[in-house]
Amino acid sequence: MDWIVQASTFAADVDFAINVIYVLVGFWFFLTFGIFLWLVIAHRAKPGQKAEYLTGDEREPKKFISRAHMLVLVCDVAIVVAAVQVWVQVKQTLPTAPETQTVRIVSQQWAWSFVHPGADGQLDTADDIKTVDELHIELDRPYIYELTSRDVLHDFSVPAFRLKQDSIPGRVITGWFQATVAGIHEIQCAEMCGIGHGLMPGKVVVETPEEHAAWMQSKSGGAMLASASR
Amino acid sequence: MRIAAKLLTSCVLSGSILMGLALAAPASADVGQAANGRGEALFNLCTQCHGSAGEGKHNIEAPAIAGLPTWYVTTQLNNFRSGARATHFDDIQGMRMRPMAMSLTGEGDVEAVAAYVGSLPVTYPVATLEGGDAAKGQSAYMLCGSCHGMDGNGSEPQGGPPLAGQSDWYILSQLEKYKAGIRGRDPRDAFGMMMQPMSLTLADEQAMKDVIAHIMTLKPAN
């Protein structure tokens, strides 16, 4: 997964869990199909030799399956342990650092809108900065997001952050991220949401504290951001 | 000999030009047909929300567009594409339209689909609003008429689109957006910026309903 930049604090952990799955599942996949192919070739039909019918009642012939099954279950446990660790860290633990800020992410057919706290650091106050298509955040600062939908199911996906979260109308879903790479990262909708599903890209703009302060200054008092293009 | 050669050359050249002209005529017609077909093909996407005849769908807040002049459709599509329209946080319906306009990426796509929309017959949407007083609205419409035409059929030089034949609920929703500053605040949307202060002359919802009631009495030109 290294070909997609790891731009959040948990991106490497998500990649680790995925790689564990790749390696363990891949090992059994190729081993199983290799043995299967060998059996097909080695025990192909031969003149005068009749196929043996196994009922499965005797343990001895089944040991190649049952023992391998046990090993697969061990691998399953390893996958579950790796995945749950990441799940708890990414989905069930919110940052508590005092510098943590909250942003609101609003999905709709077919656009992303954002509410950033203004200078007071609080949402739902007069200095909130509302934007369309662009989420502006500070590098290395933890953010809690409140994800909502105005209409149907969407999914807020930032591949560089390894973040993917459904948004559901009527619910406010809370999560977090902390960007570690400055620059512009793509937002995609990862849940089929209608005819414009493929036409609603957005971007996360990760800025240094100075750049972010300058951006906030330029938007202070504004209720909108007109993106020139995307 | 030299004269004969010149005559032959001029005959060949004339023949070539005539043949070229003869070939060019059907070629132009083909280009025209292809452009029309292209607009119709592109319009398939529009039908998902605006209906197969461009009649609009109130339940998904997609307005009637059939018969809107090409210049207006072109301007609005370009506004959507550039972000001059529908980039306000509260323009929910506009943001549904914006990616659709942005999907017109081919050269001439906007013009082709705008021409096709303009060629569709007006669909005469049914009235959905109640409580408007057309008589009161008629006097308020005097100001609107300076750009939209006293007959409601629009004016390209003034940048006012036709209002006759438009859905009443759509006119109300756009007036509300103009009044709230959701539409017509981007400097790139020159005509929108002209409309924004005009909307403020309609003091409240009743005033808007009155003028819309008058607009609904106007007859579309095509």
Side-chain angles (χ1 to χ4, degrees):
Chain A
M1 295 291 283
D2 289 347
W3 61 87
I4 305 175
V5 63
Q6 295 174 331
S8 75
T9 49
F10 53 65
D13 299 319
V14 174
D15 283 355
F16 172 73
I18 291 172
N19 287 337
V20 165
I21 295 169
Y22 274 153
V23 170
L24 294 180
V25 174
F27 169 77
W28 286 106
F29 177 84
F30 287 111
L31 181 68
T32 306
F33 274 86
I35 292 172
F36 186 66
L37 192 64
W38 173 72
L39 287 172
V40 167
I41 295 169
H43 298 282
R44 63 187 180 278
K46 290 170 187 160
Q49 187 173 330
K50 209 175 170 188
E52 186 181 355
Y53 179 70
L54 297 177
T55 60
D57 293 332
E58 297 170 34
R59 297 184 69 177
E60 183 60 20
K62 286 199 301 182
K63 66 183 180 187
F64 294 105
I65 296 172
S66 56
R67 288 177 186 175
H69 185 201
M70 292 299 171
L71 291 173
V72 168
L73 285 179
V74 170
C75 292
D76 279 350
V77 170
I79 288 172
V80 168
V81 168
V84 166
Q85 277 185 335
V86 176
W87 179 266
V88 169
Q89 180 201 351
V90 176
K91 297 288 188 181
Q92 294 188 317
T93 311
L94 289 177
T96 54
E99 68 270 24
T100 304
Q101 283 214 332
T102 302
V103 291
R104 187 168 296 138
I105 303 169
V106 183
S107 55
Q108 72 153 83
Q109 290 176 321
W110 290 281
W112 298 100
S113 305
F114 306 96
V115 185
H116 308 71
D120 63 1
Q122 302 293 318
L123 285 180
D124 300 321
T125 55
D127 66 351
D128 285 356
I129 300 170
K130 296 179 177 179
T131 63
V132 174
D133 292 345
E134 287 185 9
L135 171 65
H136 286 251
I137 58 170
E138 241 182 88
L139 182 68
D140 293 327
R141 183 170 199 160
Y143 282 86
I144 291 173
Y145 62 78
E146 296 174 353
L147 179 61
T148 63
S149 171
R150 281 169 160 161
D151 38 43
V152 299
L153 284 176
H154 299 274
D155 188 296
F156 182 72
S157 169
V158 184
F161 289 2
R162 308 297 191 270
L163 172 63
K164 194 179 270 189
Q165 176 60 58
D166 274 4
S167 64
I168 302 168
R171 285 184 58 184
V172 179
I173 295 173
T174 305
W176 72 281
F177 53 76
Q178 183 174 345
T180 55
V181 177
I184 296 174
H185 306 295
E186 286 183 6
I187 300 169
Q188 300 168 344
C189 182
E191 181 68 55
M192 276 297 293
C193 60
I195 192 168
H197 166 67
L199 302 169
M200 55 180 289
K203 45 192 168 187
V204 184
V205 183
V206 182
E207 300 155 326
T208 62
E210 296 75 25
E211 290 168 342
H212 191 65
W215 175 80
M216 283 178 60
Q217 185 68 30
S218 72
K219 296 295 169 190
S220 58
M224 60 173 283
L225 168 68
S227 306
S229 61
R230 63 180 175 185
Chain B
M1 264 314 268
R2 200 172 278 178
I3 294 170
K6 275 187 179 176
L7 273 173
L8 184 64
T9 307
S10 51
C11 280
V12 168
L13 281 175
S14 310
S16 302
I17 291 166
L18 284 173
M19 190 179 284
L21 287 173
L23 288 172
S28 310
D30 286 348
V31 168
Q33 280 182 347
N36 200 20
R38 183 177 169 195
E40 187 176 2
L42 289 167
F43 185 72
N44 276 332
L45 178 64
C46 316
T47 62
Q48 301 292 327
C49 293
H50 293 285
S52 56
E55 74 277 18
K57 293 181 183 175
H58 188 187
N59 59 334
I60 54 171
E61 298 174 284
I65 55 174
L68 282 175
T70 303
W71 67 265
Y72 179 70
V73 179
T74 303
T75 303
Q76 294 309 307
L77 284 174
N78 286 330
N79 283 346
F80 279 118
R81 286 163 54 79
S82 70
R85 184 175 172 186
T87 45
H88 192 285
F89 185 84
D90 294 316
D91 192 357
I92 296 169
Q93 299 80 7
M95 282 193 274
R96 280 204 290 265
M97 177 60 206
R98 187 164 167 244
M100 299 300 133
M102 293 179 74
S103 73
L104 300 169
T105 53
E107 192 178 343
D109 279 358
V110 168
E111 292 75 13
V113 76
Y116 184 76
V117 168
S119 72
L120 296 172
V122 176
T123 51
Y124 298 93
V126 293
T128 61
L129 297 178
E130 293 177 352
D133 185 334
K136 282 185 184 172
Q138 187 172 12
S139 55
Y141 185 79
M142 299 300 283
L143 181 61
C144 317
S146 59
C147 289
H148 293 283
M150 297 314 292
D151 60 359
N153 281 297
S155 165
E156 181 176 359
Q158 305 298 325
L163 299 175
Q166 186 49 269
S167 311
D168 55 2
W169 60 266
Y170 179 71
I171 299 174
L172 179 63
S173 73
Q174 296 309 298
L175 282 172
E176 287 170 341
K177 283 185 183 179
Y178 278 119
K179 283 169 73 71
I182 296 170
R183 186 178 170 187
R185 295 294 292 270
D186 191 297
R188 293 169 293 177
D189 181 10
F191 293 131
M193 286 194 79
M194 284 164 56
M195 180 61 206
Q196 203 272 331
M198 296 296 128
S199 67
L200 300 176
T201 62
L202 299 169
D204 52 26
E205 185 177 339
Q206 187 57 51
M208 290 189 279
K209 282 185 172 179
D210 289 345
V211 81
I212 292 169
H214 171 68
I215 290 168
M216 293 303 282
T217 67
L218 303 174
K219 301 295 176 212
N222 66 341

